[in-house]
Amino acid sequence: MTHKWNLRTLTPEENELASKLSAFYQLHPVIGRLLVQRGLTTKEALNDFFHPKLSNLHDPFLMPDMDKAVKRLNKALGNKEKILIYGDYDVDGTTAVALVYKFLRGVTSLLDYYIPDRYDEGYGISYKGIDYAAENGITLVISLDCGIKAIDKIEYANQKGIDFIICDHHMPDDTLPDAVAVLDAKREDSVYPYPHLSGCGVGFKFMQAFAQDNKMPFSELERLLDLTAVSIASDIVPITGENRILAHYGLKKLNDNPNFGLKGIIDVCGLNGKEITVSDIVFKIGPRINASGRMMRGIEAVDLLLSKDIAEAKEKSENVNQHNEDRRELDKKITDEANAIIDAISDISDKKIIVVFNREWHKGVIGIVASRLTEKYHRPAIVLTLSNGLVTGSARSVVEFDIYKAIEACKDLLENFGGHTYAAGLSLKEENFETFKERIESFAAENIVEEQLVPQIDIDAEISLGDINRKFFDDLKKLYPFGPDNHKPIFATRDVRDYGTSRLVGKESEHIKLEVIDTKGSPSIQQGIAFGMKDHFSSIKSMKPFSLCYYVEENTFNGTTNLQLMVKDIKSS
């Protein structure tokens, strides 16, 4: 698929400011440009950005209901009540449960944790989970990464004499559940300075407030930041502001001294001895934690994260790794079946959204399949299956199309829905499926313009291959950790050519291992990898000039570390 390249440009004044910043901070000139693009132009902003400080975390009591939440938790501890830590079955939810459980384990033994079954109970707070609490004499439930829309469920819990403290980060409705406290920085009445926390991040803030109120040292919380970093990276929340601070110190903990459970996953991923980045969490650590909830039971992930020694962690990590291998096979099978359905749709090119449904598909991987369809066809995609008598699905979107609002426009047909701008979930009765499909296709046709269906790559700077050296990369690392709103910079270089040694690699020779030089005279030979781009190989070997866009990473092979271009697109010059 042809991508449109969008080169970010600076005004003359911004270029001058970029040069001044590079000179003042002794940075490679390209880095100054990246700072200006990110709006980091004042001494104060740059100092906070380059040197994140835990002391700059916001006062947790600025969040609505935080005082109520701490007061109720203190009361439960004083009265020796049983407390249940309840969380969603994904990475954010399971890390949040592990974090809060590990912290409170130091002050009470009357603790239990609960993760709903994806297939039996579905997303969020469940009646079965509330019944479990009632049957076990639990009088306080702390819900994490879920609960903001659970009005009926909280009413049911209230009738059973069970109090809830809700810690969530999803968009609330106009009416909040009647819980003891509802902690969510996205509440309309919230004055909390940073609204983009992960679910685990909200749990962290709750524990921070509890620790402050009880004069507990912050170091007790600091040791749990590896879990927070994993949640921030996996849940694709912005890595700015408070999240940047939490991710920075969380990654440091993850690299220096992770908890036993995370160490087990690091080992099984083959990341031992490597500097772990946000990308490693997103593509290796996170999927393995997620696999338990997708394939079996999410509580297995919490069991792993709470491992008491490395031997236990090793055994449990091998189990979740096997779940991940099973997930991959199932993911490929269902993706192939979904593609076959799409291939059979004669007017697919006229549709601005993809909606596919198969009663037999495995609920645990349909979100991944939706992502793959969106990537392949560059259209919003909704993938649906049948679960517990309802058509249940996951949706993914393209740039500047709010899939949550699109689904919300059909809410009269739905039993439940929730999510974000680019990812959402929904359920509906099977008899409403065809009407829903027609309605959401009409909504997409009216609200998506053709330009949104063309895959685009935003390029931060056009550079020469000679710019790429150790100084350049060391300065680039000062922008770590990368993520939403502090994206990994994409560069373009025009008119490069094969050095003569580029070759096809991979089991099916589907990738290109590049060795290229700049036709403009730079003697620098740069190595790169272009995954899945074998169609460009003959053109590259013709020795005609071409253009690349890419990001830059380190690649370690046989003990030697080199810089490598991770190619995103190739165009003939």
Side-chain angles (χ1 to χ4, degrees):
M1 184 175 285
T2 302
H3 291 76
K4 179 184 177 185
W5 293 11
N6 302 316
L7 178 63
R8 299 173 187 268
T9 58
L10 299 182
T11 65
E13 293 78 14
E14 288 172 330
N15 274 316
E16 184 179 352
L17 178 57
S19 297
K20 287 180 179 177
L21 290 175
S22 295
F24 183 80
Y25 289 99
Q26 297 183 319
L27 299 168
H28 190 284
V30 174
I31 308 303
R33 178 188 181 97
L34 300 177
L35 295 174
V36 171
Q37 287 173 351
R38 285 156 171 73
L40 298 165
T41 58
T42 67
K43 185 176 181 181
E44 181 182 22
L46 285 163
N47 187 54
D48 288 345
F49 186 81
F50 286 138
H51 308 289
K53 297 182 181 67
L54 289 168
S55 59
N56 285 342
L57 292 174
H58 301 304
D59 179 358
F61 284 98
L62 292 173
M63 197 175 293
D65 284 2
M66 187 63 81
D67 53 342
K68 296 177 184 177
V70 171
K71 184 178 178 180
R72 181 63 184 91
L73 178 54
N74 283 335
K75 179 185 174 184
L77 294 170
N79 292 341
K80 298 192 181 328
E81 297 177 51
K82 288 185 177 179
I83 301 170
L84 181 68
I85 315 300
Y86 187 112
D88 187 25
Y89 39 66
D90 69 0
V91 180
D92 195 13
T94 53
T95 53
V97 168
L99 184 147
V100 173
Y101 185 89
K102 282 169 79 79
F103 189 76
L104 292 182
R105 191 167 58 185
V107 294
T108 180
S109 61
L110 300 174
L111 274 182
D112 196 1
Y113 55 91
Y114 190 95
I115 303 292
D117 185 277
R118 182 190 290 261
Y119 307 101
D120 183 35
E121 298 165 77
Y123 166 77
I125 297 167
S126 68
Y127 291 112
K128 184 176 179 180
I130 295 168
D131 288 340
Y132 174 89
E135 290 160 8
N136 287 276
I138 288 159
T139 50
L140 177 62
V141 178
I142 299 171
S143 73
L144 296 149
D145 193 33
C146 61
I148 197 65
K149 294 187 176 185
I151 292 172
D152 294 342
K153 312 285 176 53
I154 299 303
E155 178 58 34
Y156 180 73
N158 289 340
Q159 292 170 8
K160 288 183 170 287
I162 299 169
D163 287 341
F164 262 81
I165 296 171
I166 293 172
C167 304
D168 206 344
H169 70 128
H170 297 98
M171 285 299 296
D173 286 334
D174 294 337
T175 303
L176 296 176
D178 186 23
V180 169
V182 178
L183 306 180
D184 190 331
K186 291 188 174 77
R187 283 175 51 165
E188 267 194 23
D189 61 342
S190 177
V191 295
Y192 192 75
Y194 191 75
H196 305 301
L197 294 166
S198 65
C200 185
V202 178
F204 178 89
K205 298 304 293 188
F206 181 22
M207 292 301 96
Q208 183 188 0
F210 171 76
Q212 282 180 206
D213 191 67
N214 289 277
K215 307 295 188 292
M216 299 170 71
F218 186 81
S219 57
E220 292 296 305
L221 271 170
E222 221 175 319
R223 63 189 177 85
L224 303 173
L225 283 173
D226 49 0
L227 292 165
T228 315
V230 170
S231 85
I232 288 169
S234 298
D235 218 54
I236 321 296
V237 292
I239 303 188
T240 57
E242 198 162 36
N243 279 343
R244 179 173 174 81
I245 299 170
L246 295 170
H248 173 86
Y249 286 93
L251 281 167
K252 183 172 171 50
K253 175 75 164 62
L254 195 63
N255 278 285
D256 294 347
N257 185 27
N259 77 47
F260 290 125
L262 289 174
K263 178 68 168 68
I265 301 175
I266 287 166
D267 290 345
V268 85
C269 288
L271 292 172
N272 197 19
K274 177 185 181 298
E275 182 184 1
I276 297 166
T277 65
V278 166
S279 292
D280 293 321
I281 296 173
V282 171
F283 295 110
K284 295 184 178 180
I285 296 172
R288 285 167 171 80
I289 297 174
N290 252 340
S292 290
R294 292 188 187 281
M295 304 304 297
M296 293 294 289
R297 298 165 62 247
I299 202 164
E300 289 186 32
V302 182
D303 293 341
L304 166 61
L305 295 172
L306 295 175
S307 296
K308 294 183 176 64
D309 56 58
I310 198 64
E312 180 186 1
K314 183 176 187 298
E315 178 186 349
K316 294 185 185 304
S317 296
E318 288 170 353
N319 289 340
V320 300
N321 193 53
Q322 185 57 54
H323 293 330
N324 193 50
E325 291 301 315
D326 296 341
R327 188 271 306 165
R328 282 179 175 173
E329 291 182 17
L330 198 57
D331 162 19
K332 184 179 185 307
K333 175 179 178 292
I334 294 175
T335 299
D336 290 344
E337 291 173 1
N339 282 321
I341 292 173
I342 295 166
D343 289 343
I345 300 173
S346 58
D347 61 343
I348 187 64
S349 60
D350 297 328
K351 295 187 182 296
K352 293 187 176 179
I353 189 169
I354 292 168
V355 183
V356 288
F357 170 46
N358 184 316
R359 295 166 60 95
E360 305 303 321
W361 283 340
H362 195 286
K363 182 182 174 184
V365 299
I366 55 177
I368 300 171
V369 175
S371 295
R372 297 199 190 287
L373 298 182
T374 294
E375 184 179 354
K376 179 176 179 179
Y377 299 100
H378 209 75
R379 279 158 171 69
I382 302 177
V383 180
L384 299 147
T385 186
L386 196 68
S387 178
N388 292 330
L390 290 174
V391 174
T392 302
S394 289
R396 299 295 183 267
S397 194
V398 293
V399 172
E400 296 182 359
F401 181 68
D402 191 331
I403 193 67
Y404 178 86
K405 284 186 178 177
I407 292 169
E408 187 179 40
C410 306
K411 65 182 179 181
D412 56 301
L413 299 170
L414 306 177
E415 298 301 302
N416 197 11
F417 72 99
H420 308 284
T421 301
Y422 294 117
L426 67 154
S427 62
L428 65 158
K429 293 177 180 175
E430 191 167 3
E431 58 261 34
N432 289 335
F433 169 68
E434 288 300 334
T435 306
F436 168 77
K437 184 171 182 289
E438 291 170 10
R439 283 258 297 273
I440 203 152
E441 285 179 348
S442 296
F443 185 95
E446 293 169 8
N447 290 278
I448 297 179
V449 297
E450 288 298 328
E451 287 76 13
Q452 288 172 270
L453 304 180
V454 176
Q456 303 192 27
I457 299 175
D458 292 327
I459 295 167
D460 295 272
E462 192 171 318
I463 63 177
S464 73
L465 296 183
D467 284 316
I468 304 169
N469 52 35
R470 178 48 59 180
K471 162 69 174 167
F472 169 82
F473 190 75
D474 287 345
D475 287 348
L476 193 63
K477 287 176 72 174
K478 293 176 182 176
L479 276 61
Y480 279 11
F482 293 129
D485 291 357
N486 182 41
H487 61 273
K488 190 177 293 182
I490 302 295
F491 304 104
T493 303
R494 312 278 182 181
D495 298 328
V496 303
R497 65 177 175 84
D498 178 29
Y499 183 62
T501 48
S502 296
R503 63 191 189 279
L504 290 172
V505 295
K507 288 182 180 178
E508 299 176 8
S509 297
E510 68 272 39
H511 315 307
I512 308 175
K513 179 68 176 174
L514 290 165
E515 290 190 345
V516 293
I517 57 173
D518 202 323
T519 61
K520 295 170 184 172
S522 169
S524 176
I525 303 167
Q526 294 290 350
Q527 297 182 346
I529 184 74
F531 290 113
M533 297 189 192
K534 65 178 181 180
D535 291 348
H536 292 280
F537 186 65
S538 60
S539 177
I540 288 170
K541 297 306 288 185
S542 73
M543 302 304 287
K544 294 177 182 176
F546 56 95
S547 298
L548 296 173
C549 73
Y550 52 87
Y551 58 92
V552 183
E553 284 196 349
E554 286 180 311
N555 178 50
T556 301
F557 184 71
N558 287 339
T560 301
T561 299
N562 292 304
L563 300 181
Q564 180 171 255
L565 313 183
M566 306 299 293
V567 176
K568 290 182 67 69
D569 199 19
I570 300 172
K571 285 185 183 292
S572 299
S573 294

